[in-house]
Structure formats: structure tokens, C-alpha cells
Amino acid sequence: MYKIEAKDVNLHYGDFHALKGINMKMKPNTVTALIGPSGCGKSTFLRCINRMNDLIDSVKISGLIAVDGEDIYRKGINIDELRKHVGMVFQKPNPFPKSIFENVAYGLRVNGENNRGFIEDKVKESLVQAALWEEVKDKLKKSAFELSGGQQQRLCIARALAISPSVLLMDEPASALDPISTAKIEELIYELKSNYTIVIVTHNMQQAGRVSDHTAFFYMGELIEYGDTK
Ligand code: ADP
Ligand code: ADP
């Protein structure tokens, strides 16, 4: 069974045809890199997988996108439920103006979780998974803004992991970071693969080579090459 399936996906922003007949199939526990020049539709396609494009009025989408075999654009789908399964990490680290602990706990609280022990365990587990626990375990009550950029990005990854998604979407997660932080994020992506299906946008071919199993080349809204990462 495929984790994510896109069939003949077309997307328009008003009159502008931004995605042209995209077909992709992603198996569980794989990393797929979306690559191509700026403006070719990588982020647009990524945002189709958690329906973030719906926030834009002019967007029209056709075709099918399924996660775990379920059409995520069908009538009556619960988008909040979908986003519990499909987490997202953005290009710029965007921690909330809250403590380190509360950043990671955020999604659990939004979901109505109020068992303190459970929240504490989940926050720790997520920080461990995001390779940040050792660096922050003694300052969980400090503001997230006291962390470095690279740490903030791993915090945002922990925040995404805390709600136990099975898919992780990452939009250029390392492009705002220094080389050492970038290497840490790349290593982390490799480790997370055993538990998550990851789709990462990058404009960096070398990075795609280092982190991904499959590479999808976009060009002017089309998927022009798709296969195993060489
Ligand atoms: P990439 O991620 O490959 O850089 P994007 O998916 O961000 O490309 O953008 C693809 C094309 O769609 C670009 O031409 C961009 O200007 C256009 N676009 C992206 N977002 C919007 C939007 N909200 N409204 C109109 N056009 C958009
Ligand atoms: P990226 O780093 O993905 O290339 P951009 O700087 O192209 O990001 O776009 C940043 C934001 O602006 C995105 O949310 C995108 O949807 C929006 N955007 C991009 N192009 C347009 C456009 N032509 N019209 C309106 N919004 C746009």
C-alpha cells in the first residue's frame, strides 16, 4: 500500500496553471525529494498533501491525492484529523513565543490532551526524536527564542512530531541554516525515515542525494523526471 498517491493533480492559482498533471506514489518509510528551480511548483505540490493551499481563495485543484488510501479532497473530510497525520516543517524556523516545553506540547493541547504525564512523556520523546533533548533538557521553561536557529528548527520538527503524524512534509527545512545545523537536520531526516514518510522540498541537488530515496524533478509545473535518487 502506498502512503501517498497523487493522480493527475492539476492546480491553478486563478488563471495561472501551477501544477500540470502530477502523478506520484510514495511508499511508507521513504524520503522523497522535490527538486527544481525556484517557482517550478515544489512548495505548491507539498502544500497539496496537507491541504494548506485551501487557505488561498484563488486555488483550484483537480485530480486525486490519497494518504493511506483515503482521498484527502473528498467531501466531508476532517482537515484537522488529516493534519494530525501529516505534519509540516517550514523553511524558516517559526517557534511560537512560548517556552521550549510549550512549543512541543502545543499540538497536544490543541487536540484536547490534558493528561500531564502523557504530555511530559510525549514532549520528551519528541525532543529525543528531533535530536534536541540533550541540549534543552535543563531549560525546558526557557523561551524558544533563546535557542540558535538550528535548534529552533529541530524544535519545530519536535513540535510536528509530538502529534504523532505518519507523514512529515518539509519545505526547505535547512536552507535558512548554517552548514553545521544543516548537516544535523540532514542526519535527522535520515534517522526519522524509519518511522515516517518524508517529503522534502529542496533546491539543493547534493542535499537531495544525501537524504532521499526518490527524487522528483519539477519544471514549470510539470514533473519531468521521477525515480530512485542516484
Ligand atoms: P517553488 O516551491 O518551486 O519555488 P511555488 O510552488 O512556490 O514554487 O510556486 C510555483 C508558482 O506558483 C510560482 O510561479 C509562484 O509565483 C506561483 N504561486 C505560488 N503561490 C502562489 C499564490 N498564493 N498565488 C499565486 N501564485 C502563486
Ligand atoms: P519559496 O521560498 O517557496 O519560493 P516564495 O518566496 O516564492 O517562497 O513565496 C512565499 C509565499 O508567497 C508563499 O506562501 C507563496 O504561496 C506566496 N506566493 C508566491 N508567489 C506568489 C504570487 N505570484 N502571488 C501571490 N502569492 C505568492
Side-chain angles (χ1 to χ4, degrees), residues 52-150:
M52 256 182 66
N53 285 319
D54 294 25
L55 304 172
I56 304 169
D57 287 341
S58 66
V59 163
K60 284 205 174 57
I61 302 175
S62 67
L64 174 82
I65 296 185
V67 174
D68 289 323
E70 278 196 80
D71 175 0
I72 64 166
Y73 283 87
R74 72 178 188 276
K75 277 211 170 70
I77 186 175
N78 183 331
I79 294 190
D80 293 332
E81 281 300 317
L82 170 68
R83 296 208 180 121
K84 287 183 197 170
H85 299 292
V86 184
M88 180 112 175
V89 175
F90 298 90
Q91 177 172 2
K92 295 206 184 72
N94 59 344
F96 302 134
K98 292 174 182 289
S99 68
I100 293 168
F101 183 93
E102 285 305 326
N103 262 273
V104 184
Y106 179 82
L108 298 169
R109 296 203 195 281
V110 168
N111 291 345
E113 181 60 57
N114 49 27
N115 180 323
R116 211 170 124 178
F118 178 85
I119 293 176
E120 284 174 4
D121 289 348
K122 197 69 196 173
V123 167
K124 176 175 178 188
E125 180 192 316
S126 305
L127 286 166
V128 168
Q129 278 192 309
L132 188 60
W133 175 250
E134 286 303 322
E135 289 159 64
V136 302
K137 64 181 183 196
D138 298 325
K139 50 177 177 181
L140 294 171
K141 289 193 171 146
K142 292 266 162 74
S143 164
F145 297 134
E146 290 187 20
L147 300 175
S148 71

Side-chain angles (χ1 to χ4, degrees), residues 13 16 18 36-45 47 56 58-59 171-172 201:
Y13 290 112
F16 179 70
S38 186
C40 66
K42 306 181 294 295
S43 303
T44 296
F45 180 70
R47 291 194 299 255
I56 304 169
S58 66
V59 163
D171 197 346
E172 303 206 32
V201 168

